Amino acid sequence: MKRLTFEPEHEQFRDSVVKFMKAEVGAHAERFREQGIVDRDVFLKAGAQGLLCTWADEKYGGAGIDDFRFEQIIIEENMRHGDIGFYINLHNDLVAPYIAKLGTDEQKDRWMPGIVSGEKILAVAMTEPSTGSDLAGMRTSAVDKGDHWLLNGAKTYISNGILGDLVVVAARTDPESRHGLGLLVVERGMDGFERGRKLDKMGMQAQDTAELFFSDVKVPKANVLGDPTQGFRYLARFLAQERLVAAIGFMATAQTAFDLTLDYVKERRAFGKPIGAFQNTRFAMATMRAELDSLQTYVDQSVLLLNAGELTAEDASSAKLLASELEARVMDQCVQLHGGAGYMQEYRICRMYTDARVSRIFAGTSEIMREIIGRGLGLDERKLN
């Protein structure tokens, strides 16, 4: 189905993004997967191309474009022609907004130019070994020492964990309150800040997911974002956009898997004819086509709602839930239609299948998404009892 949400300037921008992703990411994707990390230079090249934080103010080097459709295009084309391990979406759309929207003028002047140029790669550290999605159970702590905060704790499953130069760390600042959290920016090279092992994952081999450790790290008061006790509220404020970003990526990978499989079933022959000529194949492809078109429309509409400042937590959770579940079904069906080839690493569909398994886990599990949507319907046990 033709997508009606994009204007000619968006499509021109898409053409330039496709060229960049093919040349600077996709062409090196196999090497990135083998080394378990993308080259730092990719972020610098993306910055030079104007692909980092298109929404950032021009005085920081950004384009000052307040239209998330441009970011949507970057996410989609990285998934199609780049590599899922190049976490430009985390840098642009998940972490940088914390600094841009919560930071003081001094903080933005200090950090945003390097963020936009790609000199300062971003990460966010929320998840802990024993808490997972339960942010209220966070154990990493920061104690007020007058002119600084003393940070102690450990984080895990941190994307851009090795490359990250600026890490927004969520820590408990009020031990008497379950929601008393702060957001502290920890910089590369700070004493007591150590990176653990780069984690060996099922998929997303080019993404440098790591453990982070903080032992008596002295974080200056000038590195605290906003109110040091309101971090929980800040995290909730930005989660809707995070989940929409995830849904955009899931739809792009699902569509890519569909396209690869459509080409394959037209060429692969069995019993004297292309396997696409069999009714089972036609029906499977037809069902995926209808589902992809329907849900893509919902995700595109969600982007327009985000632009208008009207995207709700429930809408974003619905997008994330449905897109991750559809992606899973599409990947499984596409592997099946590839037959034995679909189980071979040399075929992209095999790698995409394992990459996609985490989609129903990160940015909030499918179960958490259902909780959020259900509570939005008034079905909250805390209020119904």
Side-chain angles (χ1 to χ4, degrees), residues 29 60 83 143 146 154 173 205 220 232 254 269 271 278 327 345 368:
Y60 302 128
D83 188 273
V143 178
T173 52
Q205 301 299 333
F232 192 90
R269 301 181 67 86
F271 302 101
F278 290 97
E327 180 194 38
Q345 284 285 353
I368 295 294

Side-chain angles (χ1 to χ4, degrees), residues 20 48 71 82 115 135-136 141 167 221 227 282 291 293 358:
F20 176 86
E71 293 293 325
I115 291 169
L135 297 180
S141 66
V167 184
K221 290 289 182 71
D227 187 320
R282 291 200 306 275
E291 290 181 329
D293 284 343
V358 76

Side-chain angles (χ1 to χ4, degrees), residues 122-377:
L122 300 178
V124 60
M126 288 189 284
T127 305
E128 298 182 0
S130 60
T131 59
S133 299
D134 181 17
L135 297 180
M138 191 173 295
R139 295 182 181 180
T140 295
S141 66
V143 178
D144 190 344
K145 293 295 184 179
D147 65 341
H148 68 273
W149 290 86
L150 197 63
L151 178 66
N152 283 280
K155 301 289 184 177
T156 193
Y157 310 142
I158 307 305
S159 301
N160 287 356
I162 303 298
L163 287 173
D165 301 297
L166 301 176
V167 184
V168 177
V169 180
R172 184 164 303 286
T173 52
D174 182 357
E176 303 302 319
S177 171
R178 277 178 56 80
H179 293 169
L181 307 178
L183 300 180
L184 294 75
V185 179
V186 176
E187 302 183 53
R188 179 182 292 277
M190 282 185 170
D191 290 341
F193 172 33
E194 301 290 340
R195 301 166 204 264
R197 62 195 175 102
K198 183 168 62 63
L199 301 172
D200 188 12
K201 305 182 300 297
M202 176 190 293
M204 299 177 65
Q205 301 299 333
Q207 170 47 224
D208 55 311
T209 310
E211 300 170 315
L212 303 180
F213 301 101
F214 310 95
S215 178
D216 288 338
V217 180
K218 293 181 179 180
V219 182
K221 290 289 182 71
N223 280 32
V224 177
L225 296 177
D227 187 320
T229 66
Q230 296 299 308
F232 192 90
R233 181 166 62 86
Y234 297 149
L235 292 171
R237 171 182 165 187
F238 288 95
L239 278 174
Q241 179 167 309
E242 176 181 351
R243 286 163 181 160
L244 178 57
V245 167
I248 291 168
F250 303 157
M251 292 304 299
T253 54
Q255 180 61 56
T256 302
F258 176 90
D259 293 340
L260 290 171
T261 303
L262 183 59
D263 289 341
Y264 184 81
V265 299
K266 288 178 178 179
E267 297 173 0
R268 177 74 166 87
R269 301 181 67 86
F271 302 101
K273 60 182 178 180
I275 60 174
F278 290 97
Q279 185 186 72
N280 177 73
T281 304
R282 291 200 306 275
F283 281 13
M285 296 300 295
T287 299
M288 288 190 286
R289 178 72 278 149
E291 290 181 329
L292 286 165
D293 284 343
S294 298
L295 191 51
Q296 186 66 67
T297 301
Y298 184 94
V299 171
D300 288 347
Q301 178 71 9
S302 296
V303 171
L304 297 182
L305 288 172
L306 180 67
N307 274 350
E310 298 177 6
L311 182 68
T312 67
E314 293 80 10
D315 289 340
S317 296
S318 295
K320 196 274 177 182
L321 170 67
L322 295 176
S324 63
E325 298 286 341
L326 177 58
E327 180 194 38
R329 294 196 302 275
V330 168
M331 292 299 172
D332 189 72
Q333 183 67 79
C334 288
V335 167
Q336 187 70 23
L337 290 173
H338 274 75
Y343 202 67
M344 299 296 112
Q345 284 285 353
E346 64 186 276
Y347 283 84
R348 187 180 177 189
I349 193 64
C350 176
R351 302 190 299 271
M352 294 181 74
Y353 179 86
T354 52
D355 288 342
R357 184 56 189 90
V358 76
S359 299
R360 288 171 282 166
I361 298 173
F362 69 6
T365 64
S366 292
E367 292 74 20
I368 295 294
M369 295 303 96
R370 292 184 174 97
E371 280 288 341
I372 293 170
I373 299 164
R375 290 175 183 178
L377 296 172

Side-chain angles (χ1 to χ4, degrees), residues 51-69:
L51 301 184
L52 297 184
C53 306
T54 59
W55 46 265
D57 195 289
E58 292 181 10
K59 69 178 180 179
Y60 302 128
I65 303 173
D66 188 20
D67 181 351
F68 201 77
R69 286 174 291 183

